Amino acid sequence: MPIRQTIPAPYAQKYDYKSVRDGCAEFLDGEYAYLISSKWFQSWKDYVGFDDGDLDHGYTETREPTSLDNSGLLDEDASMINGLNIGIDYICLHKVEWDTLYGWYPGGPTVKRTAIKSDAGVIVEIYPLKLHLLKLESGNLDNIRENEYKTVS
């Protein structure tokens, strides 16, 4: 289990995270994006007063979030659930943003995806191509047997 860092006060978390986030640009081709549950992220934002402007009240009426929880993004095979929407179900973070939040609230699982170059620019490939390979013995199509499979990412 990861060691939890000392968690700063809510207003300090807000400013620490904002300073980290402000140093991030658009994703670059080949860079990893770390997905985080929008539900968990919103609970953290409510706790630290992230959307409250520059108010430094130093307290919050919202409960501190539990460990970072991305379990709602994955199915029982640890694959991304089909049909999830960015901004509604998850958001994409740069590694430094993920490391900051994960350091305060270890949990997971870690869900990372690769940014790729496309005609629309660089995008995060949320549902990477998966290949299922079957081995045919002696060219006999009547007796197809599955030996093993791997996910290519």
Side-chain angles (χ1 to χ4, degrees):
M1 175 122 198
I3 298 173
R4 185 174 178 161
Q5 297 175 1
T6 301
I7 301 176
Y11 66 90
Q13 289 181 53
K14 172 182 173 176
Y15 289 105
D16 288 352
Y17 179 79
K18 280 188 175 189
S19 68
V20 165
R21 183 197 64 184
D22 290 346
C24 296
E26 296 293 321
F27 286 102
L28 302 174
D29 185 27
E31 183 180 9
Y32 285 117
Y34 292 76
L35 279 54
I36 188 169
S37 161
S38 290
K39 181 179 177 182
W40 186 91
F41 190 63
Q42 187 61 52
S43 72
W44 175 79
K45 285 172 55 177
D46 292 344
Y47 174 67
V48 301
F50 195 81
D51 296 323
D52 294 343
D54 290 328
L55 297 176
D56 276 338
H57 48 69
Y59 68 91
T60 180
E61 295 177 11
T62 306
R63 289 183 40 190
E64 182 176 18
T66 59
S67 296
L68 202 151
D69 182 13
N70 278 337
S71 60
L73 302 179
L74 305 175
D75 63 18
E76 61 277 350
D77 296 326
S79 295
M80 189 83 165
I81 295 172
N82 284 325
L84 297 179
N85 295 299
I86 190 165
I88 297 171
D89 301 302
Y90 65 90
I91 61 168
C92 297
L93 303 178
H94 288 84
K95 183 176 184 342
V96 66
E97 294 173 282
W98 169 262
D99 288 345
T100 299
L101 293 171
Y102 187 83
W104 296 327
Y105 302 98
T110 302
V111 181
K112 69 181 184 179
R113 296 292 187 265
T114 306
I116 59 170
K117 194 180 294 187
S118 75
D119 293 339
V122 176
I123 60 169
V124 176
E125 187 177 38
I126 301 302
Y127 297 100
L129 176 65
K130 292 184 180 184
L131 299 175
H132 195 118
L133 303 176
L134 301 174
K135 182 178 180 182
L136 296 177
E137 303 224 0
S138 303
N140 183 355
L141 297 177
D142 296 329
N143 189 19
I144 295 176
R145 188 176 77 194
E146 183 177 337
N147 286 344
E148 64 181 76
Y149 66 91
K150 289 187 175 186
T151 300
V152 179
S153 59

